[in-house]
Amino acid sequence: QELSENKLKTCLFEVANLLNTATSGVTNIEYAKINLMAAEKARFISAFDNCSNHASKGISMLPSDKWESHPEMAVRLYSLAAEAERFLGRYSQTEIYCCEVLAQKSISILQKKDVYLAKLDRMANAELRYDDAIRLCLTVLKELG
């Protein structure tokens, strides 16, 4: 059934949760987009567990060629997932999401900025690897020119 954009915004979490419950293992860009919207809304209200859940569900709904067919949506979902996992203290999962984005040659360095920030925060604040964090910053600045 069709929902107007305003109605969808007011009941976004409910719609996303219903879709996620009823569509396990389904590849669907529209459902991934709804999960992206829910993840962004959850992040905005600092509900990082919900943000992580919706971002990871959105990622699972993307097609296998996501980096070629839907790169903007893929990088946004992965970035939200990495950021949420970082806030939740799940650094190994943060690293998995970061590595996936950073491995993509077709994604610009500016599109990767949120992932770099999550990685830098983990290195500097969770692992106290200041020298490595500085080296990564210098590498990114060099790539930016």
Side-chain angles (χ1 to χ4, degrees):
Q1 203 179 81
E2 294 274 328
L3 284 176
S4 70
E5 195 167 324
N6 276 347
K7 285 217 185 229
L8 178 59
K9 284 181 182 179
T10 60
C11 57
L12 182 59
F13 292 126
E14 291 86 355
V15 170
N17 288 335
L18 284 170
L19 288 174
N20 293 344
T21 302
T23 58
S24 182
V26 171
T27 299
N28 186 307
I29 297 305
E30 291 305 313
Y31 295 172
K33 196 178 297 184
I34 289 172
N35 274 289
L36 173 59
M37 292 167 56
E40 287 173 334
K41 185 175 180 178
R43 178 188 174 270
F44 181 75
I45 61 173
S46 300
F48 296 110
D49 199 40
N50 285 338
C51 178
S52 173
N53 290 338
H54 288 296
S56 66
K57 189 64 177 178
I59 289 167
S60 74
M61 292 179 169
L62 292 173
S64 58
D65 70 339
K66 60 187 158 280
W67 295 110
E68 293 80 32
S69 62
H70 299 88
E72 294 85 12
M73 188 182 307
V75 76
R76 191 69 195 126
L77 283 165
Y78 275 89
S79 297
L80 284 165
E83 182 180 3
E85 293 295 336
R86 175 180 55 96
F87 276 110
L88 294 168
R90 299 192 290 234
Y91 299 111
S92 61
Q93 194 61 39
T94 301
E95 184 65 15
I96 290 168
Y97 289 126
C98 289
C99 286
E100 177 70 23
V101 173
L102 297 177
Q104 305 308 313
K105 302 296 183 212
S106 61
I107 305 297
S108 76
I109 191 126
L110 288 177
Q111 288 175 297
K112 295 176 182 179
K113 75 173 173 40
D114 292 331
V115 171
Y116 276 120
L117 289 173
K119 188 174 181 81
L120 286 166
D121 183 72
R122 179 186 52 81
M123 292 168 82
N125 296 323
E127 299 171 353
L128 306 177
R129 294 174 34 215
Y130 303 115
D131 290 340
D132 292 337
I134 290 169
R135 274 193 287 282
L136 179 58
C137 284
L138 292 172
T139 301
V140 171
L141 287 172
K142 187 177 179 180
E143 284 186 49
L144 284 171

